[in-house]
Amino acid sequence: MSSTTAGQSVGQLETRGIEPVPEAECNGHPLQLFWVWFAANISILGLPLGATLVAFRGLAIWQAIIVAILGAAGSFAVVGIISIAGRRGRAPSLTLSRAIFGVRGNIGPTLVSLMSRLGWETVNTTTAAFVLLSLCSMLFGSPVEAKSAPLLTLLSIAIFVLLTLAVSGLGHATLLVIQKWATYVFGALNILVGGFLCATIDWSAVFNATPAPLSAMIIGIGTMAAGTGIGWANAGADMSRYQHRSVKAVRLVASAAFGAGIPLVLLITLGGLLSVGNNDLASATDPIVAIRDMLPTWMAVPYLITAFGGLLLSNNLSVYSAGLTTLTLGLKVKRVYAVVVDIVAIFAGSIYFMLIADSFYGPFITFISLLAVPITAWVGIFVVDLIHRHYYSPQDLLDVSPRSAYWYSGGIEWRAFGAWAIAIVLGFSFTTIGTTAENVWFKGFLSDSWLGHNGLGWIVTFVVAGGIYFLLGGAKDRRAAPTENAHA
């Protein structure tokens, strides 16, 4: 096949790690990113997101559509903004973040990012393994439970992680092509499954639904943003670092907003339609099974294949990004080995949750959803810095010694790190944390305020982080290389 990017061909191992990409190898275009983000968000698990808007927030379907556009597509516009830094600095998001937080101060945001990536990858892997067990149940003619069939469970997990490794391990060029063509296949299957699901919609209830108050829409926007684009924001530059210098910023933003927004808005809307007058999908502990039960028996196999494929496409991109984030933490191995380390971690996590733990989705997803607060704080600072920073020093991004221009004071840029820490504390003050209304883990002292009650703690986090960083003078106009060692 022809060369795609970075001197790599499809099927050839990408040897570059976090080091900035030479300008001569940057030949990417925004349509590539469109397909990458489309594929990563084509998972049928977008249906339960829409179901919660209608079943738990009481939104009319037109309100759910607006919330999906603003929350999901809007939050992926932020991912597109982060992508601009990748085109400028030619390095992964968290590597570029060293220029903002300092080579040591950046460890905090990088660790949070890695935990979030590994967490959602474990969710994807566990869910995909349950999908394969469901297929086995149909094949054997009797239910197959994870704990009663440990060898089959291990095999199901192994199949999914090996398929992920095959794409993520090979790297950028292979990822671009696989995500594009797989989108056609699984996109068509999603349309087929969605058509049959539409037959179960109570259309009279849809048209007669009473609109919810504005506050419910505001909460929904925050929920959609936290569950979609915010979780991907720190991966924006990972994919855009190969984009051609001539690519305009607006096209990078559009590729992410439309690439992810189109499938998410459609899936969230369908999930909302399915839940009008029926809370089963929104309250299901296993949404895969809940959706399967809505379909004719003969559609179960195409549906499960669709679900598996969507999870795999999302995992491909996430594991690729996690490998780069692991290298940014300081692991001194080749990129493909960093991917293997992440694969081993999610393999072990999936084994624990499927074969040992008594419950999984509620507590675990609540935990990794909490990471949206520090990630949002990082995004606020990164975006403010991006407005003024037009240059990243390639050699200093990789130099973690006191000689680096990004060493600052003891390896930490205290204005950025301080703004990040303060925003996290304030963000959690507006947040209520728990798996259910009865099982509350933590309740911030401002959670009963208007902002907290309406789920706007994430906006506070974003504004406070970026605002403090700006007021402290952290965002200066940077159009040229650093002239001296800030530490010296």
Side-chain angles (χ1 to χ4, degrees), residues 181-435:
W181 292 104
T183 297
Y184 293 142
V185 175
F186 292 107
L189 285 172
N190 267 282
I191 293 173
L192 177 65
V193 172
F196 280 90
L197 288 174
C198 285
T200 69
I201 296 172
D202 185 348
W203 291 104
S204 62
V206 169
F207 293 122
N208 293 325
T210 303
L214 179 62
S215 60
M217 294 183 66
I218 294 174
I219 295 173
I221 291 171
T223 302
M224 292 302 104
T228 56
I230 295 300
W232 282 106
N234 44 29
D238 299 358
M239 298 307 300
S240 65
R241 60 198 174 119
Y242 286 102
Q243 291 288 294
H244 193 273
R245 178 65 62 183
S246 64
V247 173
K248 296 187 180 301
V250 67
R251 297 186 67 192
L252 292 174
V253 175
S255 66
F258 286 97
I262 290 172
L264 282 173
V265 170
L266 291 175
L267 288 167
I268 290 169
T269 300
L270 179 57
L273 288 168
L274 293 170
S275 294
V276 176
N278 183 353
N279 296 348
D280 292 346
L281 178 57
S283 58
T285 56
D286 186 345
I288 293 291
V289 173
I291 298 169
R292 185 193 66 190
D293 291 343
M294 298 179 185
L295 294 165
T297 303
W298 63 271
M299 271 295 297
V301 171
Y303 159 69
L304 292 172
I305 293 174
T306 303
F308 184 87
L311 291 164
L312 183 60
L313 293 177
S314 178
N315 228 43
N316 287 342
L317 181 57
S318 186
V319 170
Y320 177 78
S321 178
L324 298 173
T325 304
T326 301
L327 292 177
T328 302
L329 273 178
L331 189 64
K332 303 295 184 181
V333 298
K334 295 181 178 179
R335 184 199 61 82
V336 67
Y337 296 143
V339 170
V340 172
V341 169
D342 295 321
I343 286 289
V344 170
I346 61 178
F347 188 86
S350 299
I351 291 174
Y352 173 78
F353 287 115
M354 294 190 74
L355 297 179
I356 300 173
D358 293 327
S359 61
F360 168 58
Y361 284 105
F364 192 57
I365 291 179
T366 297
F367 168 70
I368 54 181
S369 295
L370 294 179
L371 299 178
V373 173
I375 290 174
T376 302
W378 175 86
V379 171
I381 294 168
F382 196 99
V383 169
V384 169
D385 187 84
L386 180 64
I387 295 172
H388 300 275
R389 187 183 300 274
H390 296 264
Y391 179 84
Y392 297 86
S393 172
Q395 64 270 23
D396 291 305
L397 286 174
L398 300 179
D399 186 357
V400 295
S401 74
R403 296 185 300 274
S404 173
Y406 301 136
W407 180 258
Y408 301 113
S409 178
I412 302 174
E413 217 296 5
W414 287 102
R415 291 169 297 187
F417 190 84
W420 185 64
I422 292 170
I424 291 172
V425 172
L426 191 58
F428 279 128
S429 298
F430 287 94
T431 305
T432 299
I433 304 165
T435 56

Side-chain angles (χ1 to χ4, degrees), residues 54-287:
V54 172
F56 297 153
R57 300 301 177 193
L59 301 187
I61 197 60
W62 63 268
Q63 292 178 309
I65 295 172
I66 293 174
V67 165
I69 293 172
L70 296 179
S75 63
F76 265 97
V78 176
V79 177
I81 292 173
I82 303 295
S83 298
I84 299 170
R87 189 207 59 193
R88 289 180 183 173
R90 302 303 183 195
S93 303
L94 271 301
T95 304
L96 296 173
S97 183
R98 286 175 173 174
I100 304 171
F101 288 85
V103 295
R104 287 182 173 174
N106 191 52
I107 293 174
T110 304
L111 189 59
V112 168
S113 176
L114 183 60
M115 291 172 62
S116 178
R117 291 265 69 83
L118 293 177
W120 288 114
E121 288 156 18
T122 303
V123 171
N124 286 343
T125 303
T126 303
T127 306
F130 278 124
V131 169
L132 290 180
L133 290 179
S134 293
L135 284 168
C136 290
S137 297
M138 297 179 62
L139 178 65
F140 300 146
S142 61
V144 177
E145 300 292 337
K147 293 183 179 180
S148 63
L151 292 179
L152 193 57
T153 299
L154 289 173
L155 178 61
S156 298
I157 297 172
I159 289 172
F160 186 77
V161 298
L162 287 175
L163 288 172
T164 301
L165 177 62
V167 177
S168 302
L170 286 173
H172 191 268
T174 302
L175 185 67
L176 290 179
V177 173
I178 293 295
Q179 298 294 92
K180 175 183 177 180
W181 292 104
T183 297
Y184 293 142
V185 175
F186 292 107
L189 285 172
N190 267 282
I191 293 173
L192 177 65
V193 172
F196 280 90
L197 288 174
C198 285
T200 69
I201 296 172
D202 185 348
W203 291 104
S204 62
V206 169
F207 293 122
N208 293 325
T210 303
L214 179 62
S215 60
M217 294 183 66
I218 294 174
I219 295 173
I221 291 171
T223 302
M224 292 302 104
T228 56
I230 295 300
W232 282 106
N234 44 29
D238 299 358
M239 298 307 300
S240 65
R241 60 198 174 119
Y242 286 102
Q243 291 288 294
H244 193 273
R245 178 65 62 183
S246 64
V247 173
K248 296 187 180 301
V250 67
R251 297 186 67 192
L252 292 174
V253 175
S255 66
F258 286 97
I262 290 172
L264 282 173
V265 170
L266 291 175
L267 288 167
I268 290 169
T269 300
L270 179 57
L273 288 168
L274 293 170
S275 294
V276 176
N278 183 353
N279 296 348
D280 292 346
L281 178 57
S283 58
T285 56
D286 186 345

